[in-house]
Structures are given as structure tokens and as C-alpha cells.
């Protein structure tokens, strides 16, 4: 992982450690109790679900481009980007951060003020991959881009209460 991504993750983790989950005492969250999420047990997935390809194919929209994200990672093999319009680039965030894709560092994890958006801080603290859709000026995108996000695990149930699988997908659109 490149240094600037690590720095953004660390800063977000520090902010979330200080602020924690939002509560109903916060104006923007006064009608939403997230305590069940805050009290939940979550684990990172142990790899993609064995039926990920079936799940992605099961929601295919004919005539669209398909962009698949599995457990927070861009899944190029499950995506169908054969007819990508001219002026549109779709790439893994991980790959884009490494190769210095134009605009990625400028935009990634900059849309929300993580100091005032706890879930944005939490998501950014686990930022690892996702997808970037870059649309050049004057590009025409006639074909819908269908984004399919799959999260899950094939780990066998244990006698103890099982933790839910969590992933932190990120989709960055630069247009």
C-alpha cells in the first residue's frame, strides 16, 4: 500500500477512535439508533464466497457494463467491461494508487469530512481497494454501468455465535 493511502487510513482510524459510532444525541443521527451495529461482532472475510460468480451473474442487466466488487475488492474477472465507452476508465483503487492514476490522490477519501462523518472515517480507516470510474471531459456514456457489490464468506458455522462478515467497499467516480 502506498504511503499517502496509509496516512489517510491512519488519520481516519485516529478520528474514529476518538469519535466512535454516531449516537441519537448527535443532531444528524437523532432518529437513527446505530447501537446494534456498534455492539455487533464483525470479522473480515476469509476470501471471496465460492458462489461469487453465480451471485454476480444472477443480477446481470442485459445491455449494461458490469463492474463487480467482492468483499471490498474490484473483481475484474467477474466484471464485463468489454464495451467501455471512449473516455471512460475503470480501475482498481489499489492499482490506481500504485500507478499514480490522475486525480486519485486528489479525490480519494476527500469527499466527506471524516471528522464529522463517523461512518466515512470508519470506512476510510479500512480503505484497501475498490474501484475508480474516471470519465473524461466531453465523454459520452450511453451504456449504463451496473455496479454489483457482493459480501460474504464460506466459513463453516461455529458453535459460538458467529460474527458477521464486514467489508469496506469504496467507489470513486471522477467526472
Amino acid at each position: 500500500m502506498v504511503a499517502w493511502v496509509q496516512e489517510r487510513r491512519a488519520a481516519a482510524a485516529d478520528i474514529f477512535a476518538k469519535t466512535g459510532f454516531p449516537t441519537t444525541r448527535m443532531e444528524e443521527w437523532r432518529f437513527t439508533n446505530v447501537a446494534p451495529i456498534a455492539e455487533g461482532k464483525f470479522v473480515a472475510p476469509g476470501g471471496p464466497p465460492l458462489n461469487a460468480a453465480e451471485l454476480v451473474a444472477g443480477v446481470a442487466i442485459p445491455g449494461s457494463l458490469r463492474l463487480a466488487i467482492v468483499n471490498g475488492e474490484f473483481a475484474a474477472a467477474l466484471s464485463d467491461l468489454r464495451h467501455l465507452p471512449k473516455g471512460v476508465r475503470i480501475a482498481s483503487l489499489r492499482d490506481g494508487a500504485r500507478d499514480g492514476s490522475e486525480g486519485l490522490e486528489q479525490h480519494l477519501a476527500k469527499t466527506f469530512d471524516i471528522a464529522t462523518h463517523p461512518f466515512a472515517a470508519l470506512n476510510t480507516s479500512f480503505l484497501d481497494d475498490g474501484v475508480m470510474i474516471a470519465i473524461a471531459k466531453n465523454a459520452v456514456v450511453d451504456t449504463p454501468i451496473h455496479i454489483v457489490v457482493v459480501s460474504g464468506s464460506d466459513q463453516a458455522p461455529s458453535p459460538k455465535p458467529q460474527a458477521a462478515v464486514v467489508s469496506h467497499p469504496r467507489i470513486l467516480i471522477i467526472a
Side-chain angles (χ1 to χ4, degrees):
M1 185 178 313
V2 295
W4 65 266
V5 174
Q6 289 176 332
E7 290 168 8
R8 288 192 190 158
R9 283 179 61 164
D14 287 344
I15 288 170
F16 188 77
K18 291 174 188 162
T19 61
F21 285 97
T23 68
T24 55
R25 290 186 299 269
M26 299 168 77
E27 180 62 24
E28 292 178 347
W29 293 91
R30 70 181 185 273
F31 298 118
T32 308
N33 180 6
V34 300
I37 296 170
E39 296 164 3
K41 294 183 181 185
F42 299 92
V43 295
L50 295 175
N51 65 341
E54 179 183 332
L55 292 170
V56 170
V59 295
I61 297 176
S64 69
L65 300 169
R66 182 178 58 242
L67 188 147
I69 299 172
V70 177
N71 287 339
E73 296 185 12
F74 175 51
L78 300 179
S79 298
D80 182 0
L81 304 172
R82 290 175 290 179
H83 303 291
L84 205 56
K86 183 177 181 175
V88 177
R89 179 170 178 252
I90 294 179
S92 156
L93 289 178
R94 191 179 295 141
D95 293 342
R98 274 194 296 254
D99 72 16
S101 291
E102 184 177 329
L104 188 57
E105 184 174 357
Q106 174 189 349
H107 296 287
L108 187 61
K110 294 285 191 165
T111 303
F112 289 100
D113 176 5
I114 59 176
T116 58
H117 290 87
F119 283 109
L122 179 63
N123 183 278
T124 301
S125 70
F126 287 98
L127 177 62
D128 181 46
D129 196 15
V131 69
M132 174 186 69
I133 303 171
I135 303 171
K137 186 176 183 176
N138 298 321
V140 176
V141 183
D142 290 329
T143 306
I145 300 173
H146 181 209
I147 302 171
V148 181
V149 179
V150 173
S151 294
S153 175
D154 290 318
Q155 294 179 344
S158 66
K160 297 178 183 177
Q162 192 171 4
V165 172
V166 65
S167 64
H168 300 271
R170 183 63 65 102
I171 301 167
L172 174 64
I173 301 173
I174 303 170

